Amino acid sequence: MRFANHVFQTAKGADQGGGGFSVGSLRSKLTGYRHQELFLRIAQSPTESIFDLLHTRNTGLSSDEVKERQLRFGLNEIAHDRVRWQSQLRRALVNPFNILLAVLASVSFATGDIKGTITLAAMVVISVSLTFIQEFRSSRAAESLKKMVQTRATVLRRLGHFHSEQGTEWVNRKAEIPIEEIVPGDVILLSAGDMVPADVRLLNSKDLFVSQSAMTGESVPVEKTANSESASVRDALHLTNICFMGTNVVSGTATAAVIKTGGDTFLGSIAKSVAGVRVQTSFDKGVHRITWLMIRFMLVMAPFVFLVNGVTKGDWTEAFMFAVAVAVGLVPEMLPMIVTVNLAKGAMSMFRKKVIVKRLNSIQNFGAMNMLCTDKTGTLTQDKIVLEKYLDVSGAPNDRVLKYAYLNSYYQTGLKNLLDVAVLNHRELSKELEIDRVYRKLDEIPFDFTRKRMSVVVEKSNGRHILICKGALEEMLKVCGRAEVGNEIVAIPDLPVERFQKIAQDLNDDGLRVVAVAYKDVEAGQRKEYSVIDEGDLILLGYIAFLDPPKESASQAIKKLNEHGVAVKVLTGDNDRVTRKVARDVGLPADDILLGSQIDDLTDEGLDNVVEKTSVFAKLTPAQKERIVRSLHRLHHVVGFLGDGINDAPALKAADVGISVENAVDIAKESADIILLEKSLLVLEEGVIEGRKVFGNIIKYIKMGASSNFGNMFSMLGASALFPFLPMQPVQLLTQNLLYDISQTAIPFDDVDAQYLEKPRKWEIGEIRRFMVFFGPISSLFDYVTFALMWFFFKSQTPATESLFQSGWFVEGLLSQTLIVHMIRTRRIPFIQSRASWPLILMTASVMAVGILVPFSDYGKGIGLEPLPLSYFPWLVLILLCYCVMTQLMKNWFVRKYGYN
């Protein structure tokens, strides 16, 4: 459900001070929604008339009706950032490099230079083909990964009918379908953790609370009911019986009829404004700043070269064309393609390691992450919860406690967690209790994270009504006035409550999670609905205790993450004793655990003072988890959050990189940037390393391009001022630039030194600028050595011999620029201590060979080059060897002084 992910990323950026689409402007667009009157009419209509208005029925649509409506209304999709191949081709065509080539081709054609025209046209084709093919393949790969994370919805569908004495009767069933297949008129079922897949009208609901923060900015969930709305409400956002696409169910259950889908929804009506207005991540900002740094150099350089050549040589047209060629050479036109291919390749590599990247630019944040906050269950533990014990209040085994717990879990329709699954694994109880014959469910009071309990009300065949409640012991004691001790019901004030708590604490110290079970008889009558207020004066029956053993791999994974500079913190809603036991088992310091109640007593500044020193946080609410993440942000950490529940959604959105798992609830998957196919810290650690590899390869291109371009500035300025001819013709300069760019297309496939992967890597613009200023003049120095060689040794001193001079610098300049990637790709000695990948070696060697051959070819002759004498090549080898040695020596000094990012 990519639409919701986009909304969440927009909200995430706005929360963190970024730009993007504000909640205020979103709300103003919603209030002007063209279907507002329709919504008001449906909201004010009685529930029974909704089916006529939407041409549906309470049993849902048939398959034929669904197909018909899909043809009419289309798929339930709205605008998002998918890039079509036509747009990619247009972007590949329209860039400064190709525009200049087209201008030069037109000039060549106008002057009758057919060979030059063909050459330039061929360069355009090569440039466009390279960029388009690579970006197209990358975007297809990214899209295929996104489709693997699919959000589904539960609908009622008609399967067929049969005839009986009562007439035609329909056979219906619940169906789990991709949300894209939902159509207007569908009847859907909602429960805690679900995303609302379309704009819907509630038909019935039970304690339904919906988070509309993505739509309205309100942090508190809103209660929704199926009651008809009064005519006084004129703002669709305030309608209590309407739920909107992109919001999510926090607690409760409901049945609803779909009103609008896709682009006709509230969210769809503003999709064109939202699509493409994605908030810039630190990665985007880093690339943006580097690009503009290079462009600023170009804006200074190009006019100066134009003036110098115009004044010294008198040919202003030629000077202008040369200045424009210089400008194009200095613009990092391949940077977008290099970045895109790097990210896409990284995403595919991460997929092979069981990690799906939903948003490509989050890969860099993944690699830069130095603080991982994670839930306990399933990450540090095996996620295979087993019901170990069922005890009465005295701590003795008691089958009745298990039976009441089973009835509670069996009749629960909300979000079933792993504890419920463990209880329901005792399938023999269904037969023993004769559930279908003896019991009938009357009502349910759903779970929420404030009460931390849930209840069902059942009727026995003898007419007895029983409310059965289970939940966290602390919360249950608040609503229990009595306890069952043996065969007696005793008032809790008359009992040693500390004894109850001691039993639970002992179980916790053994690593068992404890849930209390209570009940009470309720008066049988005409009453149909029960609420939280009925959870009072309960009789505490006993406890059920669950074991979720630590993963054998957790300790190893935490150690590896620490070795790679990632600190692990546990943020859990579980109690401190169980959490302490598990944390110690996996090697985390757990002597000082910070509880949610303690966090509430701290100011933001107070939390900042303790959050770094604390590794384990327990008894947390969703808001407290989010607050911890924001505190780490304020301390300048790059924070990742791993979670899979409803209570994790706020923290997932607040984190720099939200991480969830394939089987997480909808809201957690939609809030996340990265999805793990296996909930394991080992898988996560492998993904972190891959993220750092991607960043490392992007930095290689940026450092290489920045230093080479900065060096070229000095070379161009000096050559323009010193010589009576152009140091290189515009078309020669463009050819050199194209070959150089081709040589770098293999960078995404390069290896990265293990030493570079040891710690998180972030954008350090100052370090890149320092690297550029330091290494750029080195390449320029050897350009001047080449100038001297061609001028003094080969006597290329007049316009008549300029082609020899240009050929000499063309080859030396291309080879030195191509070799630099091998020098700066590692802090070690290249080719000896660290060798590039074979794709990069073969690509750079091929381009160097082509560069040497160009002056000897007809193509070289066509662009004004001439064959170089054999005596040139020993000098070339000596110049390149000295260049590599000097670059390595200076790099060693640079690393010792400034480090290596």
Side-chain angles (χ1 to χ4, degrees):
M1 199 152 63
R2 293 177 288 273
F3 60 89
N5 187 49
H6 186 76
V7 170
F8 293 136
Q9 299 306 335
T10 303
K12 176 188 287 191
D15 256 357
Q16 296 174 1
F21 205 79
S22 70
V23 169
S25 61
L26 177 60
R27 191 181 185 94
S28 67
K29 285 186 177 293
L30 290 178
T31 54
Y33 180 49
R34 66 183 184 275
H35 294 305
Q36 175 112 325
E37 291 302 320
L38 171 64
F39 270 75
L40 294 174
R41 183 159 62 91
I42 290 177
Q44 293 162 10
S45 300
T47 303
E48 55 272 13
S49 66
I50 299 302
F51 301 111
D52 292 333
L53 286 170
L54 298 177
H55 303 288
T56 185
R57 60 193 74 81
N58 61 357
T59 52
L61 302 172
S62 67
S63 57
D64 290 339
E65 288 172 322
V66 169
K67 290 177 183 177
E68 180 186 340
R69 296 189 190 201
Q70 282 179 347
L71 289 174
R72 180 180 173 188
F73 297 105
L75 292 177
N76 183 29
E77 294 180 326
I78 63 173
H80 56 88
D81 297 334
R82 181 186 296 164
V83 180
R84 299 186 181 279
W85 70 267
Q86 297 94 330
S87 301
Q88 289 180 316
L89 181 59
R90 183 168 58 251
R91 190 168 59 193
L93 276 167
V94 183
N95 67 47
F97 184 80
N98 293 326
I99 291 172
L100 178 58
L101 287 175
V103 170
L104 292 175
S106 301
V107 172
S108 297
F109 183 77
T111 56
D113 184 3
I114 303 302
K115 184 180 291 186
T117 303
I118 295 173
T119 299
L120 290 165
M123 290 173 66
V124 171
V125 172
I126 293 172
S127 173
V128 171
S129 299
L130 273 175
T131 304
F132 172 70
I133 291 172
Q134 291 281 27
E135 291 201 356
F136 180 73
R137 289 174 60 191
S138 299
S139 63
R140 288 287 295 273
E143 282 293 326
S144 67
L145 290 181
K146 285 182 183 179
K147 289 178 181 177
M148 296 184 67
V149 184
Q150 195 173 62
T151 305
R152 305 178 75 84
T154 304
V155 300
L156 295 180
R157 288 280 165 85
R158 286 190 164 193
L159 294 180
H161 64 275
F162 62 92
H163 297 286
S164 68
E165 294 179 359
Q166 288 74 30
T168 302
E169 295 189 30
W170 288 87
V171 179
N172 310 302
R173 70 175 176 92
K174 295 179 185 178
E176 291 279 336
I177 64 169
I179 64 101
E180 289 83 3
E181 296 178 11
I182 286 176
V183 296
D186 257 328
V187 176
I188 65 170
L189 305 179
L190 297 173
S191 60
D194 287 346
M195 296 292 299
V196 179
D199 289 347
V200 301
R201 165 64 153 88
L202 297 178
L203 302 175
N204 59 66
S205 65
K206 178 64 179 175
D207 297 324
L208 184 69
F209 284 84
V210 174
S211 172
Q212 298 188 149
S213 59
M215 306 287 284
T216 65
E218 297 170 304
S219 58
V220 179
V222 178
E223 185 173 12
K224 299 282 187 175
T225 68
N227 299 329
S228 299
E229 192 61 75
S230 70
S232 61
V233 179
R234 303 305 300 169
D235 182 357
L237 287 172
H238 291 137
L239 296 172
T240 58
N241 56 11
I242 300 290
C243 295
F244 304 104
M245 177 189 246
T247 61
N248 64 280
V249 180
V250 176
S251 64
T253 59
T255 304
V258 175
I259 305 170
K260 293 291 180 182
T261 57
D264 286 334
T265 61
F266 260 155
L267 196 60
S269 69
I270 47 91
K272 291 181 180 178
S273 301
V274 175
V277 191
R278 184 175 53 80
V279 176
Q280 285 197 332
T281 63
S282 61
F283 179 84
D284 298 321
K285 292 173 183 175
V287 172
H288 185 75
R289 289 172 65 186
I290 286 295
T291 301
W292 277 103
L293 178 66
M294 295 184 183
I295 289 175
R296 280 196 294 272
F297 280 122
M298 179 269 291
L299 292 174
V300 172
M301 175 72 175
F304 200 72
V305 167
F306 169 63
L307 290 173
V308 169
N309 281 291
V311 170
T312 57
K313 299 166 184 64
D315 189 338
W316 289 95
T317 301
E318 187 179 63
F320 175 76
M321 297 301 291
F322 181 69
V324 174
V326 168
V328 172
L330 292 176
V331 171
E333 70 279 346
M334 294 294 281
L335 181 58
M337 189 201 81
I338 294 291
V339 168
T340 301
V341 175
N342 258 298
L343 292 175
K345 179 184 176 294
M348 295 306 295
S349 298
M350 290 169 77
F351 170 63
R352 287 190 285 272
K353 292 177 171 60
K354 300 183 180 180
V355 178
I356 294 179
V357 179
K358 287 176 58 185
R359 194 163 57 95
L360 286 181
N361 285 2
S362 64
I363 291 178
Q364 190 272 327
N365 279 346
F366 203 27
M369 179 177 69
N370 70 335
M371 198 70 70
L372 173 66
C373 300
T374 177
D375 191 14
K376 172 178 64 66
T377 304
T379 307
L380 303 183
T381 61
Q382 294 180 12
D383 215 7
K384 295 178 181 177
I385 293 179
V386 178
L387 177 58
E388 286 281 303
K389 298 182 179 182
Y390 29 95
L391 312 171
D392 63 20
V393 293
S394 302
N398 187 302
D399 288 342
R400 191 154 159 263
V401 173
L402 174 59
K403 291 175 180 178
Y404 271 50
Y406 188 90
L407 286 168
N408 178 284
S409 296
Y410 182 85
Y411 284 117
Q412 177 184 350
T413 57
L415 185 68
K416 282 185 170 62
N417 59 31
L418 292 172
L419 303 182
D420 290 304
V421 173
V423 172
L424 294 173
N425 280 338
H426 287 262
R427 296 183 181 88
E428 72 281 358
L429 288 175
S430 180
K431 184 176 181 180
E432 182 181 336
L433 290 168
E434 298 182 273
I435 283 183
D436 294 334
R437 187 182 69 82
V438 176
Y439 293 93
R440 180 172 70 92
K441 178 181 175 181
L442 297 178
D443 203 2
E444 174 180 352
I445 307 170
F447 177 88
D448 65 56
F449 291 97
T450 303
R451 292 163 38 247
K452 296 185 178 178
R453 60 180 184 267
M454 71 82 52
S455 302
V456 298
V457 182
V458 297
E459 180 185 36
K460 292 189 71 173
S461 56
N462 60 9
R464 180 187 174 197
H465 289 194
I466 312 170
L467 185 151
I468 304 172
C469 181
K470 75 175 191 295
L473 179 61
E474 299 88 342
E475 300 301 324
M476 293 290 287
L477 287 175
K478 294 177 184 178
V479 294
C480 287
R482 297 165 291 169
E484 186 173 306
V485 182
N487 295 321
E488 297 182 16
I489 305 297
V490 183
I492 283 184
D494 297 336
L495 294 170
V497 177
E498 298 79 8
R499 183 181 171 190
F500 302 158
Q501 295 171 332
K502 179 69 166 58
I503 292 171
Q505 289 169 1
D506 290 343
L507 292 169
N508 290 159
D509 289 339
D510 290 335
L512 295 171
R513 296 177 65 179
V514 177
V515 172
V517 179
Y519 74 97
K520 76 173 181 180
D521 288 338
V522 293
E523 185 179 348
Q526 300 301 314
R527 191 171 173 190
K528 294 182 178 179
E529 291 192 359
Y530 292 81
S531 64
V532 173
I533 197 171
D534 293 301
E535 292 178 332
D537 195 29
L538 301 181
I539 301 170
L540 182 63
L541 181 61
Y543 323 98
I544 47 177
F546 304 86
L547 177 65
D548 188 9
K551 282 184 178 176
E552 295 179 2
S553 62
S555 179
Q556 177 191 0
I558 290 171
K559 184 179 178 181
K560 282 189 173 185
L561 284 167
N562 288 334
E563 288 173 352
H564 286 103
V566 181
V568 178
K569 295 185 182 296
V570 177
L571 277 62
T572 180
D574 207 348
N575 74 66
D576 51 321
R577 289 175 177 269
V578 175
T579 305
R580 179 179 283 110
K581 173 73 166 60
V582 172
R584 285 175 174 167
D585 287 346
V586 299
L588 284 173
D591 291 331
D592 297 316
I593 293 181
L594 197 61
L595 303 180
S597 57
Q598 295 172 309
I599 291 173
D600 284 340
D601 294 334
L602 294 173
T603 62
D604 285 347
E605 184 179 354
L607 182 58
D608 293 348
N609 291 333
V610 298
V611 71
E612 286 183 307
K613 296 177 285 187
T614 306
S615 296
V616 181
F617 302 81
K619 290 188 176 180
L620 298 179
T621 65
Q624 289 163 348
K625 290 184 180 183
E626 180 184 13
R627 195 175 166 208
I628 291 168
V629 170
R630 293 193 184 283
S631 176
L632 292 168
H633 271 152
R634 288 193 296 273
L635 297 172
H636 308 293
H637 292 289
V638 179
V639 186
F641 186 90
L642 171 58
D644 61 357
I646 313 167
N647 56 332
D648 296 320
L652 282 167
K653 288 188 277 186
D656 292 289
V657 52
I659 309 159
S660 194
V661 293
E662 187 180 25
N663 60 350
V665 297
D666 294 347
I667 181 60
K669 287 193 290 188
E670 289 300 329
S671 302
D673 305 301
I674 287 172
I675 303 293
L676 305 183
L677 296 180
E678 180 182 321
K679 194 175 181 182
S680 165
L681 290 181
L682 281 176
V683 170
L684 188 68
E685 186 261 346
E686 291 177 345
V688 167
I689 299 305
E690 199 62 44
R692 293 179 188 175
K693 287 181 182 179
V694 169
F695 182 68
N697 282 333
I698 291 172
I699 287 294
K700 287 176 192 176
Y701 177 81
I702 289 173
K703 284 184 174 180
M704 179 190 59
S707 58
S708 295
N709 289 349
F710 189 70
N712 284 340
M713 282 178 55
F714 296 105
S715 302
M716 293 292 183
L717 285 171
S720 298
L722 293 173
F723 304 121
F725 47 79
L726 291 176
M728 209 180 292
Q729 295 294 332
V731 68
Q732 297 166 0
L733 191 58
L734 291 169
T735 301
Q736 185 192 64
N737 189 60
L738 179 64
L739 289 172
Y740 164 71
D741 283 340
I742 291 173
S743 73
Q744 308 314 310
T745 57
I747 285 181
F749 305 93
D750 191 25
D751 301 320
V752 179
D753 288 348
Q755 192 175 13
Y756 184 88
L757 304 175
E758 287 176 355
K759 65 178 185 178
R761 301 289 174 177
K762 296 194 294 185
W763 284 103
E764 298 287 352
I765 303 301
E767 199 270 345
I768 293 172
R769 187 184 293 113
R770 186 164 52 238
F771 188 94
M772 176 182 69
V773 172
F774 192 84
F775 285 92
I778 296 176
S779 66
S780 184
L781 173 64
F782 286 91
D783 283 342
Y784 279 99
V785 171
T786 304
F787 294 161
L789 175 70
M790 303 310 295
W791 184 271
F792 294 109
F793 189 84
F794 290 103
K795 306 299 181 183
S796 181
Q797 301 172 351
T798 65
T801 57
E802 67 176 340
S803 62
L804 181 62
F805 183 99
Q806 292 163 351
S807 298
W809 191 33
F810 175 89
V811 173
E812 184 274 335
L814 176 63
L815 268 59
S816 63
Q817 284 189 85
T818 305
L819 276 173
I820 188 67
V821 70
H822 293 279
M823 305 305 300
I824 61 92
R825 63 171 295 277
T826 175
R827 63 188 298 176
R828 304 162 76 188
I829 301 174
F831 303 110
I832 299 173
Q833 294 179 330
S834 177
R835 179 180 59 80
S837 65
W838 279 112
L840 185 60
I841 290 174
L842 293 174
M843 183 62 77
T844 52
S846 300
V847 167
M848 290 169 69
V850 170
I852 292 171
L853 293 174
V854 164
F856 296 90
S857 67
D858 290 340
Y859 172 78
K861 183 178 179 181
I863 61 174
L865 299 176
E866 67 175 72
L868 289 159
L870 292 179
S871 57
Y872 165 83
F873 291 98
W875 287 104
L876 175 65
V877 172
L878 181 61
I879 289 171
L880 294 176
L881 184 61
C882 291
Y883 170 62
C884 291
V885 171
M886 185 172 182
T887 301
Q888 182 63 34
L889 291 173
M890 300 308 290
K891 182 178 71 177
N892 292 341
W893 179 86
F894 184 88
V895 169
R896 284 195 300 271
K897 185 171 178 63
Y898 299 110
Y900 190 84
N901 187 32

